[in-house]
Amino acid sequence: MSEQSPSLSTSVLLLRQMSHEMRTPLAALINTGDLFAGGMYGKLTEKQQKAADRVQRTSHRVLTILEDFVSYVKAESMDYPLIDEEFEPRKLIAGVISQIGNEAKKSTIPIQIMTPDNLPDKIIGDKSAVQRILLALLWNAIAATHHGSITISSEWSAEKGWIINIQDTGTGISKEDEEHIFEAFWRGKDRPQVSTSGCGLGLPLARSLARVMNGNLVLVKTSAEGSLFSVELFQKLPHL
Amino acid sequence: MSNILVVEDDSDLRDTYAEILEFEGYSVHGVGSSADAIDSLIKLKPDLVILDMQLNGESGTVVLSFIRKYPRLAATKVIIASGFVDMGMRAREWGADMFLAKPITAKLLISSIEGLLREQTERLHNLDSGS
């Protein structure tokens, strides 16, 4: 029974070990925070409840940062294990928007969905990775958009698979920032951070995951009227 | 009341699991090393084991091998709870019934345990009735 794969590089193995070492105390912190906030240790005053909610929220954020970082390094090293499964693309988009709605309570920007008739009901791919890509792109769009709307439109072709375009009506990205938006931990000075992790890994992780799937993520255009990102995901049809 | 053994070398996390499970009405015993785990398995014959794989002393795989070879523990369910997320793909072939990646929320932990114990009860019932 071997617990480690010999094919992994030393740095990825070190990262894997560090992730394990952090997850264990983090598990105790998250569980205890959840129990406090859930009232298992008794009824809390309003002030105590706010503090417990803060501990709960922050500990979950630390986990998100850790998971994003580990996934980013693995994807960059092409050591990210893809798990293919059948899923419904329309449902996936709706699920991601619902998740965003629960977390981005302060955002009132409407999100529109446009799917073509030829988008298959079911496709095969790494559903979890696609969800993470879409989440990162939507958080990025929400961060930049104060008025107007965000539109998620899809394209499907047998050759290219599923292409998702995210158009926002936000403030756009400056020339200076444009060169760096896919760099890990880059925080543009004009780009407010609203993401759940907020540490500058959303877009770099999304691009790396798309590339692991033999796809890509690009910024198609940006101006003071908004930005358009496009991600190609080489998903397959179930019968292929 | 089902009897759960928690094998986890981090005492804070071990205590947290125990609090969650005792609150749900389970009888819980916690240990931090593989040697203590094997002692407790023989003495307590738990219905379910929550097993970390990186322990003080020998690794969790030694504990898991012991459970699967010791006839009195044939019905014991095992959940591997580890921070090594990729381990999930191999947990079944090692003989575990389930893999959960740390951190595990209280809700997921409880529903997972309930599902496995229900499966265990049904299996024992079927064996008793000869079906």
Side-chain angles (χ1 to χ4, degrees):
Chain A
M1 288 185 202
S2 166
E3 287 175 31
Q4 293 186 340
S5 164
S7 65
L8 297 178
S9 67
T10 307
S11 58
V12 173
L13 284 173
L14 279 171
L15 184 73
R16 189 169 171 264
Q17 184 69 34
M18 190 208 72
S19 162
H20 167 78
E21 298 300 340
M22 282 187 71
R23 277 171 179 273
T24 299
L26 196 52
L29 180 65
I30 286 178
N31 287 143
T32 308
D34 287 352
L35 295 177
F36 257 115
M40 201 192 102
Y41 299 112
K43 190 166 166 48
L44 305 179
T45 64
E46 194 179 328
K47 198 170 179 180
Q48 287 168 338
Q49 185 69 55
K50 273 189 182 173
D53 289 345
R54 199 160 52 239
V55 170
Q56 189 185 28
R57 214 168 38 243
T58 311
S59 59
H60 282 275
R61 264 188 64 201
V62 174
L63 174 64
T64 304
I65 293 170
L66 175 68
E67 287 185 336
D68 282 357
F69 180 65
V70 172
S71 298
Y72 174 70
V73 174
K74 281 183 171 180
E76 282 290 293
S77 316
M78 290 290 166
D79 269 326
Y80 187 94
L82 292 174
I83 301 169
D84 281 352
E85 61 180 308
E86 193 175 283
F87 67 90
E88 297 174 44
R90 290 177 181 82
K91 265 194 184 173
L92 183 140
I93 294 173
V96 168
I97 291 175
S98 165
Q99 189 179 338
I100 290 268
N102 290 335
E103 292 173 22
K105 293 191 175 82
K106 286 176 189 165
S107 172
T108 53
I109 303 298
I111 300 174
Q112 297 165 344
I113 307 170
M114 292 165 66
T115 46
D117 291 342
N118 74 337
L119 181 66
D121 291 337
K122 289 180 180 175
I123 54 179
I124 291 178
D126 190 315
K127 182 181 169 187
S128 164
V130 178
Q131 281 170 329
R132 294 179 82 177
I133 291 170
L134 198 50
L135 267 174
L137 288 169
L138 277 174
W139 277 118
N140 180 67
I142 289 170
T145 310
H146 308 297
H147 307 285
S149 63
I150 295 164
T151 304
I152 306 171
S153 61
S154 293
E155 296 167 40
W156 173 266
S157 71
E159 300 77 35
K160 291 187 172 179
W162 190 17
I163 297 173
I164 309 174
N165 303 307
I166 311 274
Q167 172 77 62
D168 67 56
T169 55
T171 48
I173 299 164
S174 69
K175 271 278 165 218
E176 185 191 324
D177 283 357
E178 210 179 310
E179 293 172 24
H180 303 286
I181 53 168
F182 292 112
E183 290 173 13
F185 302 114
W186 170 262
R187 282 169 184 265
K189 59 177 185 283
D190 300 327
R191 305 277 294 166
Q193 298 287 320
V194 184
S195 90
T196 44
S197 66
C199 68
L201 271 176
L203 289 178
L205 173 62
R207 175 180 265 188
S208 300
L209 288 176
R211 287 180 172 175
V212 169
M213 291 188 272
N214 292 322
N216 200 9
L217 166 63
V218 291
L219 171 63
V220 179
K221 59 179 180 179
T222 184
S223 71
E225 279 77 50
S227 305
L228 172 63
F229 285 87
S230 183
V231 59
E232 287 180 7
L233 303 164
F234 286 92
Q235 314 287 280
K236 291 177 286 190
L237 286 169
H239 63 273
L240 290 178
Chain B
M1 180 172 52
S2 297
N3 178 8
I4 297 177
L5 176 66
V6 176
V7 187
E8 168 57 63
D9 65 344
D10 185 289
S11 60
D12 286 333
L13 184 56
R14 196 165 65 232
D15 292 347
T16 312
Y17 286 154
E19 283 185 355
I20 294 169
L21 299 175
E22 280 165 359
F23 185 76
E24 291 296 314
Y26 294 108
S27 168
V28 184
H29 183 73
V31 293
S33 71
S34 48
D36 288 344
I38 289 171
D39 276 353
S40 302
L41 284 164
I42 297 167
K43 283 182 200 149
L44 303 171
K45 206 187 126 197
D47 298 297
L48 186 142
V49 178
I50 297 172
L51 179 63
D52 181 23
M53 297 305 274
Q54 211 171 51
L55 297 168
N56 296 324
E58 303 220 57
S59 102
T61 53
V62 173
V63 179
L64 190 47
S65 294
F66 179 81
I67 294 170
R68 291 304 171 229
K69 283 178 188 159
Y70 193 59
R72 288 187 65 206
L73 300 171
T76 299
K77 296 286 183 184
V78 180
I79 297 176
I80 292 180
S82 176
F84 289 111
V85 180
D86 333 358
M87 205 180 261
M89 289 184 261
R90 283 170 290 163
R92 285 249 177 206
E93 70 189 59
W94 289 344
D97 296 283
M98 186 178 279
F99 173 85
L100 295 174
K102 290 178 185 172
I104 308 158
T105 61
K107 198 175 162 188
L108 177 63
L109 183 66
I110 293 160
S111 65
S112 304
I113 289 172
E114 283 173 352
L116 287 176
L117 291 178
R118 199 164 41 242
E119 202 179 279
Q120 184 185 57
T121 308
E122 283 166 8
R123 188 166 169 265
L124 291 174
H125 176 77
N126 289 340
L127 284 175
D128 284 348
S129 61
S131 58

